[in-house]
Amino acid sequence: MLIGKPADIAPSEITPVETFRRRREIVKALGLSAIAPLSTAWPALAQAEDAPHQPPIKQFNKTDFGKEEKLTPYQDVTTYNNFYEFGTAKEQPAVNAKKFRTTPWSISIEGEVHKAQTLDMDKLLKLAPLEERIYRMRCVEGWSMVIPWVGIPLSALIKLAQPTSNAKYVEFITAAEPDSMIGVRAPILDWPYLEALRLDEAMHPLTILAVGLYGEYLPKQNGAPVRLVVPWKYGFKGGKSIVRIRFSERMPQTTWMRAAANEYGFYANVNPKVAHPRWSQASERRIGSGLFTRRIPTQMFNGYAEQVGQLYAGMDLAKNF
Ligand SMILES: Nc1nc2c(c(=O)[nH]1)N[C@H]1C(S)=C(S)[C@@H](COP(=O)(O)O)O[C@H]1N2
Ligand SMILES: [Mo]
């Protein structure tokens, strides 16, 4: 993910994953994390502390879905984040989100629905049984993780809202609080961060609202208390810390389309055959797979083609990227 126009790209963004991971893993392997001179030489490391665990979720269903995948370690999932509201560097959200308040929280359901309403977290958690979903997650930047999310199908909320016959799209509007979100005070993106899905994508059983990971409530840096997860799309579609869900007739302009429409399309389906204008999407680095992070081939629809391919039947995926 890059900010705005190509001219703004820092050279450090070209291989950020490798550099960050290798340094951190080498230092860990050598047991050197407390040594000050090294931290000074490698500034990114100084902040890459382990994130604390969150309270456990008492009740959720486990399934076999995704159980063949090797999970990305908790510490990688919670310290290597994209959440620009808390800074653009991967290690910043874990550090800068600490003061962000996530209780009380509610989501306003608006637009083309028969049952517009405000849902608090208690109500949201009762919409459907919580379930663990082990999903491969692919960032448009070229790295990936495997995360055991805990959440509910987004379809449960949609059924409650009762979309009108005009509703074709669902927008996710996320928190934008300058007082507690350091990134929101800067014009990094057009705040609030806004993402959207076509209604049938939103209804798909793989699409979830996540409230936890690794059997614990979501850490703030991962989008507490509730965020969207759409495993066949690039990670930027998964808006974090959602405050409004709006149903609309016309395709919404999303934040990343506004920032660079030629680079980040509305669909953002993972597709190894359609390159980003500035880099290939044919392969990915799986985070946390050892000292020298493995590069593996990227799969069509992130490997979920069997489940979601029919949603795009007849569409030109090079045009509708
Ligand atoms: N509100 C908000 N949501 C966001 C982002 C963001 O900057 N702000 N970044 C997105 C991107 S680019 C990715 S890859 C995922 C990362 O989620 P994770 O840190 O939980 O792995 O969050 C997405 N959701
Ligand atoms: Mo991303």
Side-chain angles (χ1 to χ4, degrees):
M1 189 60 63
L2 297 154
I3 310 163
K5 295 168 273 325
D8 298 332
I9 309 157
S12 62
E13 297 217 274
I14 294 163
T15 55
V17 175
E18 238 174 326
T19 320
F20 178 93
R21 293 311 319 163
R22 282 188 192 173
R23 285 175 182 175
R24 191 166 172 230
E25 279 159 7
I26 289 165
V27 166
K28 266 195 168 173
L30 300 175
L32 297 174
S33 52
I35 297 173
L38 201 57
S39 310
T40 320
W42 291 343
L45 259 180
Q47 289 176 48
E49 291 163 17
D50 281 356
H53 279 268
Q54 301 301 311
I57 298 177
K58 288 202 187 82
Q59 226 180 1
F60 63 91
N61 298 327
K62 292 209 173 210
T63 68
D64 283 349
F65 191 89
K67 77 169 199 299
E68 68 287 356
E69 300 285 343
K70 188 174 179 291
L71 302 183
T72 301
Y74 181 86
Q75 292 302 336
D76 294 288
V77 173
T78 57
T79 58
Y80 190 88
N81 302 104
N82 272 342
F83 200 165
Y84 280 11
E85 287 85 336
F86 296 110
T88 55
K90 300 287 182 278
E91 70 279 11
Q92 281 181 321
V95 176
N96 291 340
K98 286 177 185 156
K99 284 191 200 127
F100 180 56
R101 289 193 57 107
T102 56
T103 49
W105 194 271
S106 59
I107 298 181
S108 156
I109 303 176
E110 320 171 351
E112 288 290 346
V113 289
H114 294 294
K115 306 274 178 190
Q117 60 191 287
T118 302
L119 262 189
D120 62 22
M121 285 307 289
D122 278 350
K123 255 199 213 161
L124 182 107
L125 290 168
K126 284 178 193 136
L127 284 181
L130 284 173
E131 194 178 299
E132 183 171 74
R133 297 286 185 87
I134 297 170
Y135 284 164
R136 294 179 291 275
M137 303 301 299
R138 172 61 154 80
C139 177
V140 73
E141 293 167 333
W143 50 271
S144 63
M145 297 188 185
V146 177
I147 304 180
W149 300 107
V150 178
I152 59 164
L154 175 63
S155 63
L157 180 143
I158 297 175
K159 281 169 200 157
L160 178 82
Q162 297 182 23
T164 69
S165 56
N166 291 331
K168 303 273 184 317
Y169 296 92
V170 191
E171 275 175 78
F172 304 86
I173 299 142
T174 72
E177 297 174 11
D179 289 347
S180 54
M181 295 175 140
I182 194 170
V184 173
R185 289 178 232 159
I188 301 166
L189 288 170
D190 221 348
W191 310 114
Y193 189 101
L194 193 156
E195 261 307 335
L197 297 172
R198 220 169 54 190
L199 186 57
D200 59 342
E201 298 177 319
M203 285 296 293
H204 194 280
L206 286 182
T207 304
I208 61 167
L209 285 173
V211 297
L213 54 83
Y214 270 100
E216 303 173 359
Y217 286 100
L218 278 182
K220 293 172 182 176
Q221 60 271 30
N222 294 92
V226 55
R227 59 89 57 86
L228 181 69
V229 176
V230 195
W232 70 95
K233 293 179 179 282
Y234 293 118
F236 68 87
K237 296 299 285 182
K240 293 177 171 180
S241 306
I242 295 167
V243 291
R244 290 166 58 199
I245 298 182
R246 216 174 78 88
F247 292 74
S248 58
E249 182 162 16
R250 298 184 50 194
M251 182 186 277
Q253 271 276 319
T254 67
T255 294
W256 280 105
M257 288 164 77
R258 263 191 207 148
N262 61 321
E263 302 192 7
Y264 310 106
F266 178 84
Y267 285 96
N269 292 317
V270 175
N271 189 340
K273 287 178 271 183
V274 176
H276 182 280
R278 291 181 282 118
W279 59 82
S280 162
Q281 293 291 24
S283 67
E284 66 201 54
R285 293 199 175 276
R286 184 59 58 84
I287 303 290
S289 58
L291 194 54
F292 298 97
T293 310
R294 251 179 337 135
R295 186 165 272 282
I296 54 177
T298 288
Q299 303 178 70
M300 188 67 204
F301 297 115
N302 205 24
Y304 300 101
E306 212 173 285
Q307 291 97 322
V308 303
Q310 79 284 353
L311 293 173
Y312 311 102
M315 275 177 71
D316 181 344
L317 298 177
K319 278 201 188 109
N320 297 287
F321 60 89

